[in-house]
Amino acid sequence: MKYKRILLKLSGESLMGEKQYGIDNERVKQYAEDIKAVHDQGLEIAIVIGGGNIFRGLSAEKSGMDRAQADYMGMLATVINSMALQDALEKVGLKTRLLSAIKMEQICEPFVRRRAVRHLEKGRIVIFGAGTGNPYFTTDSAAALRAIEINADVVLKGTRVDGIYTADPEKDPAATKYQTLSFKEVYAKELNVMDMTAFTLCEENNLPIIVFDMNKAGNFMKIAEGEEIGTLVKG
């Protein structure tokens, strides 16, 4: 295995599968099986999930809602997704802990950095819910921050596209994929990898990012083994 400790970032939209809204149980089950296969090889895995399949704070703000209020609602959506993935992971035999940046003691532990690291060391899958716990920060920023806090080796951003392209491959058939990029090239080309706060955090802490297609079964294992799929962004 190429890595020892991984932070996996999943978008909320990826949990929809073929649906237009909500959670596709088959897609979540596939994710759980892929995560188990990698974990069984001895890797420590932490996960951050977005909430866009249920609620998007930015969209609500555009329709007139207070931004902070909308962002807190989005954080609650990430906890719902985290609970769904936690259930799927436990059904395939993994031990998990859900740590939330917002206190909700009946369903998850409060986030404490040392506790999170200890859970990982004990072989548990750690899921970080509720983003950073602060409005105006995305779950991309939460993923970058938590990865740095737990000393992860890499941030793996699982999407429905198999890397970073010169343009949106779903709209432009002439778009070509990058295999490797530097942080400076991403800035210069104005590529949409993560939001700027998350991206800058990774750059400043020399934390590589790999963008890959999580929807294709087995891709997570290939990356863990060091196979060059997706797009690598590094210093």
Side-chain angles (χ1 to χ4, degrees):
M1 295 290 109
K2 184 173 181 179
Y3 306 104
K4 183 178 186 298
R5 182 175 293 167
I6 288 172
L7 189 293
L8 175 63
K9 168 61 169 63
L10 298 172
S11 68
E13 287 89 342
S14 68
L15 299 188
M16 291 191 297
E18 300 302 318
K19 295 183 176 182
Q20 298 299 310
Y21 176 84
I23 298 169
D24 182 341
N25 289 333
E26 289 304 311
R27 178 54 47 81
V28 176
K29 182 181 176 183
Q30 177 230 312
Y31 286 174
E33 289 170 348
D34 281 356
I35 291 165
K36 176 176 169 51
V38 173
H39 182 266
D40 286 349
Q41 298 302 312
L43 272 73
E44 298 173 1
I45 303 171
I47 304 169
V48 171
I49 313 177
N53 56 320
I54 297 173
F55 188 87
R56 294 188 67 85
L58 279 173
S59 300
E61 183 198 20
K62 289 176 183 175
S63 64
M65 185 177 287
D66 177 77
R67 171 66 188 274
Q69 185 81 339
D71 280 355
Y72 280 120
M73 292 171 69
M75 290 178 220
L76 299 182
T78 72
V79 175
I80 292 172
N81 284 339
S82 296
M83 292 174 69
L85 182 61
Q86 181 182 37
D87 178 73
L89 290 168
E90 291 180 345
K91 278 185 167 62
V92 295
L94 295 173
K95 296 186 184 300
T96 70
R97 289 294 186 275
L98 172 54
L99 276 61
S100 171
I102 297 174
K103 286 186 178 181
M104 9 186 138
E105 283 117 351
Q106 285 83 355
I107 55 175
C108 46
E109 300 176 15
F111 170 73
V112 177
R113 186 185 69 84
R114 289 179 181 272
R115 181 182 291 173
V117 171
R118 188 66 181 131
H119 286 321
L120 289 167
E121 290 171 345
K122 287 184 175 181
R124 297 165 183 152
I125 304 290
V126 174
I127 307 170
F128 297 116
T132 66
N134 301 290
Y136 302 98
F137 289 90
T138 67
T139 50
D140 277 349
S141 294
L145 178 62
R146 296 293 183 245
I148 294 161
E149 287 180 300
I150 65 172
N151 295 316
D153 300 317
V154 64
V155 173
L156 303 183
K157 183 167 181 179
T159 68
R160 62 185 184 186
V161 180
D162 65 340
I164 302 169
Y165 283 75
T166 53
D168 187 343
E170 295 180 346
K171 297 177 181 177
D172 184 356
T176 56
K177 189 175 85 170
Y178 296 103
Q179 294 299 126
T180 307
L181 287 163
S182 70
F183 287 105
K184 287 182 171 53
E185 284 177 315
V186 173
Y187 283 124
K189 298 175 188 292
E190 298 182 347
L191 298 170
N192 185 23
V193 180
M194 287 180 154
D195 73 80
M196 201 53 66
T197 303
F199 193 72
T200 303
L201 273 172
C202 290
E203 181 186 26
E204 289 178 348
N205 291 275
N206 199 28
L207 181 65
I209 305 164
I210 298 177
V211 179
F212 74 107
D213 182 2
M214 183 70 182
N215 291 352
K216 186 175 179 181
N219 270 358
F220 189 27
M221 175 63 83
K222 289 177 181 177
I223 288 183
E225 291 175 335
E227 191 171 325
E228 293 182 359
I229 64 171
T231 302
L232 169 65
V233 183
K234 61 181 181 177

